[in-house]
Amino acid sequence: MTTEPTASPPFSMRRVNAMVLRYWYLLRSSLFRILELMYWPAVQMLMWGFLQLYLAENAGFFARAGGTFIGAVLLWDILFRGQLGFSISFLEEMWARNLGNLMMSPLRPIEFVAALMIMSIIRLAVGMVPVTLLAIAFFGFNLYGLGFALAAFFLNLILTSWAVGILVSGLILRYGMGAESMAWTIMFIFLPLTCVYYPVTVLPDWLQPVAWSLAPTYVFEGMRHLIIDHVFRADLMLQALAVNAVYFAAAVMAFMALLNGARRTGTLMQIGE
Amino acid sequence: MTSPPAQPVVSVDHVVKVYKSTCAVDRISFALPPGSVTALLGGNGAGKTTTIAMIMGLVTPTEGAVTVLGASMPQRRYQVLHRMNFESPYVDMPKRLTVRQNLAVFAALYGVADVDERISELTHDLNLGEFLDRPNGRLSSGEKTRVSLAKALLNRPELLLLDEPTASLDPDTADWVRARLERYRHERGATLLLASHNMPEVERLCDRVIMMKRGRIEDDDTPGRLLARYDRQTLEDVFLDVARGRAEDREAAQ
C-alpha cells in the first residue's frame, strides 16, 4: 500500500454533476416543491400586473410606461429567486445533516459553489418560465421580447444573486443555523435600495451613491430606459458587470475565509438541524 | 536486511486544539501503521471527536501537525480525501433520496470508476437489495447503518474513520456490522480508527486502544496489555479506572 499523496483534479465536472444530480433528485421527488417555485412569482406578477392596468387607465404616464411594473417584478424575481435557489440548495445539506459527508468527500468548495449556481438556474427556470408565459397571457407583456437586453439583465442579476448566495452560505458555515434567516431576508434590503419600481432620482441625494454601488440598480434603470424610452443602455450593463465582478470575487474570498474560520472554530462539526 | 518500517497512515504530532478558552486536545501524539485497527476511547469531552475531526481535515489544529496518507491536514486534504472515508450514525444521508441515488451521488464524488458495478457489489455484500430503491428516510436504524457503511466503503478506502459505528443498533445488527468491518479490513488491508463507547466491540475489533481523558492521552496499548496492566477482566473496567481516575488513586495508595 502506498502512502504517497496523489494529485486529485482541482476542479472536476463529474463532482459538480453529482451534486446537481443530488439536488435534481430532491427537487423532482416532491410536486409541492416544484409548485412552490412558481407560486409566489405568479402571485406577485399578477398583483403588480393588475395594479399597472389600473394605473394605466387613470394616469397618462403609466399608460406610456406600460410593462414597467411587470418587467420590474419579473426581473426582481430573477434576482430574489436566484439567490433563494442557491441558498435553499445549500440549506438542504444543513437540514439533511449531510454536510459532514460532503466536507469529508473530495468535493471542493468551488465545485460545491458551482453546483449551487447551476441549481439556482434550474430552480429559477422551473419557477419563472411558467410565470413569464402567464404575463404574456394576462397582460400581453412578453419578457422575451426584450431580446439581447434580457440576456444582459439576466446575466447581471444572476451574478448578484450568486454573490449574495455565496456570502450567506459562508456565514451559515461559520456561524451555524443561527444565520439561516439571512438566507430568507438579506435580499429584501436590495428592494428599496436598487430602485426596483422607481428611478434612482426618487431617492434622497445621500442615498443615491449607495444605490449606484449595487449592480441591480443599473439593471432596473436599464429596464426602465428600454421600456419607456426604447433605448438599450449598454453602458449601464457594463457598469453593472464591473460591480458584479468585484462583488462576486469578494463573496468567493469571504466564503473561503468563513470556511477556514469554521475549521478553526470547529463549527463544521456542529452544523445540523 | 530488513525492510524499513512502513510510513504511518495517520500521524498526529504534538497536536493541540483550543476552542476559545477550552483546551479540547492537549498535545497528543500517535501514529497508525498501515492495516492497524485502533480505538479512541474516552468519556464525553475527552477529545475523541475533535481528534477524528482534525484527522478528517474538518478542524484545524491550534498547534502541531496531522498527516494522513502523507498529506498534511487540513491544508493538503484534497490530495488524500478520495483514499479515505468515514461513517457515523450522527451524520445522515439525504432522507428523500433513495439508497441507490445516494450511493450513486457519493460514488461520483469519490471518483468511483464503475458506479453501477460497485453499488451492485456493495448491495450484495451488505444485503441492501430489498431497500435499494427506498428513500433513506424510510429505513430502520439498522438499515441506515448498512447504507452509511456502504457509502463509507464505496471508494475502497485505505483509511476508514468510524464514529461509534454500532451506536443504537440491536446486538444482532451490531455484530453483523462488526463482522463486515473485520472482513473489509482483512480483504483490503485497510487502516481503521474508531471512536466507540462499546467495549466488547473494541476488544473484538481493535489491536490497539488509545485512552483519552480531558484532551490528553492517558494510555495507549493493546487491549491485552491494558487488561494486564490495570489488572482487570474487561476493557470496561479499564475505561472506568481511567475515566474516574481510579488508576491514579491506586498508584498513590501503593
Side-chain angles (χ1 to χ4, degrees):
Chain A
M1 181 194 307
T2 175
T3 53
E4 289 301 314
T6 53
S8 86
F11 187 89
S12 158
M13 263 325 281
R14 190 182 182 205
R15 290 193 288 261
V16 175
N17 291 339
M19 290 306 294
V20 172
L21 189 64
R22 177 251 188 284
Y23 296 123
W24 177 248
Y25 284 147
L26 195 62
L27 186 61
R28 76 173 193 190
S29 71
S30 168
L31 179 64
F32 290 103
R33 286 194 180 214
I34 293 173
L35 291 175
E36 188 193 12
L37 290 178
M38 304 171 203
Y39 177 72
W40 281 114
V43 167
Q44 268 210 307
M45 187 276 296
L46 289 172
M47 197 261 300
W48 284 103
F50 287 125
L51 178 66
Q52 173 132 3
L53 277 185
Y54 169 69
L55 290 173
E57 286 166 7
N58 294 283
F61 170 77
F62 288 103
R64 290 198 312 277
T68 50
F69 280 178
I70 302 174
V73 79
L74 291 176
L75 293 184
W76 162 253
D77 266 332
I78 290 173
L79 179 67
F80 179 54
R81 305 281 154 193
Q83 179 261 321
L84 217 50
F86 186 104
S87 296
I88 287 177
S89 297
F90 177 81
L91 285 168
E92 296 280 8
E93 305 301 352
M94 303 290 172
W95 297 328
R97 296 200 310 154
N98 186 43
L99 200 74
N101 282 320
L102 295 180
M103 289 291 163
M104 249 300 285
S105 80
L107 179 72
R108 291 172 184 250
I110 196 71
E111 294 161 347
F112 191 17
V113 165
L116 294 172
M117 290 184 339
I118 292 171
M119 266 325 283
S120 87
I121 290 182
I122 291 173
R123 291 177 66 100
L124 201 55
V126 170
M128 291 300 294
V129 169
V131 177
T132 55
L133 299 178
L134 272 182
I136 297 171
F138 273 81
F139 307 110
F141 179 81
N142 183 7
L143 189 69
Y144 306 105
L146 299 179
F148 172 76
L150 175 63
F153 295 160
F154 182 85
L155 174 69
N156 274 307
L157 292 173
I158 202 76
L159 277 173
T160 307
S161 73
W162 288 342
V164 174
I166 290 168
L167 177 66
V168 170
S169 302
L171 289 169
I172 295 171
L173 278 177
R174 173 64 183 81
Y175 298 104
M177 291 302 274
E180 182 190 349
S181 62
M182 297 282 286
W184 307 101
T185 57
I186 192 169
M187 202 50 105
F188 286 107
I189 192 67
F190 282 68
L191 195 52
L193 291 180
T194 60
C195 305
V196 178
Y197 297 110
Y198 41 79
V200 176
T201 50
V202 168
L203 296 179
D205 288 345
W206 64 270
L207 202 52
Q208 290 184 21
V210 177
W212 287 119
S213 71
L214 302 168
T217 306
Y218 298 85
V219 175
F220 293 114
E221 282 294 302
M223 184 268 301
R224 278 184 288 272
H225 279 289
L226 189 65
I227 291 179
I228 298 170
D229 307 325
H230 305 289
V231 174
F232 173 61
R233 292 280 304 272
D235 58 322
L236 289 177
M237 293 306 101
L238 289 173
Q239 288 173 71
L241 203 57
V243 175
N244 266 325
V246 172
Y247 281 5
F248 192 83
V252 170
M253 283 191 283
F255 180 84
M256 295 309 293
L258 290 162
L259 179 59
N260 289 335
R263 285 193 213 285
R264 274 196 311 277
T265 55
T267 44
L268 281 183
M269 287 163 40
Q270 298 149 8
I271 278 171
E273 286 165 2
Chain B
M1 196 170 86
T2 56
S3 57
Q7 192 182 351
V9 172
V10 174
S11 167
V12 174
D13 187 16
H14 294 91
V15 164
V16 176
K17 182 62 199 176
V18 178
Y19 297 121
K20 291 185 181 168
S21 58
T22 306
C23 184
V25 169
D26 190 2
R27 211 161 291 283
I28 63 170
S29 297
F30 62 86
L32 305 182
S36 60
V37 182
T38 306
L40 273 181
L41 288 190
N44 297 328
K48 308 182 299 290
T49 305
T50 298
T51 302
I52 287 186
M54 286 191 285
I55 292 169
M56 292 193 293
L58 285 181
V59 170
T60 308
T62 308
E63 282 178 38
V66 176
T67 309
V68 175
L69 295 162
S72 47
M73 305 294 265
Q75 298 84 356
R76 309 191 78 180
R77 61 202 300 269
Y78 293 107
Q79 290 188 339
V80 291
L81 282 175
H82 61 290
R83 295 166 60 191
M84 53 198 284
N85 212 318
F86 95 120
E87 193 269 323
S88 166
Y90 307 114
V91 178
D92 282 347
M93 306 274 276
K95 293 179 183 62
R96 292 200 301 122
L97 268 63
T98 66
V99 172
R100 190 194 299 275
Q101 289 170 340
N102 269 318
L103 292 179
V105 167
F106 280 103
L109 289 180
Y110 278 92
V112 173
D114 189 334
V115 173
D116 291 340
E117 189 184 316
R118 185 63 184 142
I119 291 176
S120 262
E121 282 173 10
L122 288 166
T123 300
H124 175 74
D125 288 351
L126 301 173
N127 296 341
L128 309 178
E130 65 183 90
F131 50 84
L132 194 60
D133 291 307
R134 202 183 295 164
N136 217 65
R138 290 193 206 151
L139 304 181
S140 68
S141 299
E143 289 166 343
K144 275 185 188 166
T145 301
R146 277 147 72 183
V147 173
S148 191
L149 193 58
K151 176 244 134 191
L153 300 180
L154 266 171
N155 58 327
R156 299 182 178 89
E158 294 162 55
L159 171 64
L160 185 55
L161 303 160
L162 304 151
D163 184 12
E164 300 189 42
T166 58
S168 76
L169 294 183
D170 66 72
D172 181 45
T173 311
D175 181 70
W176 187 90
V177 168
R178 284 173 207 134
R180 290 302 180 283
L181 289 172
E182 279 182 315
R183 196 171 79 188
Y184 180 73
R185 181 237 184 150
H186 287 300
E187 285 174 359
R188 181 78 174 93
T191 307
L192 272 60
L193 175 66
L194 69 147
S196 176
H197 288 129
N198 188 312
M199 299 306 143
E201 175 170 282
V202 170
E203 286 185 59
R204 173 173 166 181
L205 287 177
C206 303
D207 38 42
R208 180 181 173 192
V209 177
I210 297 173
M211 311 210 67
M212 295 186 71
K213 184 180 174 185
R214 294 193 204 105
R216 294 185 177 187
I217 292 177
E218 290 286 309
D219 217 329
D220 178 356
D221 216 327
T222 64
R225 283 206 287 260
L226 284 171
L227 292 173
R229 183 151 62 245
Y230 288 81
D231 192 21
R232 292 291 183 182
Q233 296 298 309
T234 65
L235 268 184
E236 184 152 343
D237 286 331
V238 175
F239 175 87
L240 291 173
D241 282 350
V242 171
R244 295 175 181 173
R246 293 200 299 226
E248 294 156 24
D249 295 346
R250 205 161 42 194
E251 276 173 19
Q254 285 168 355

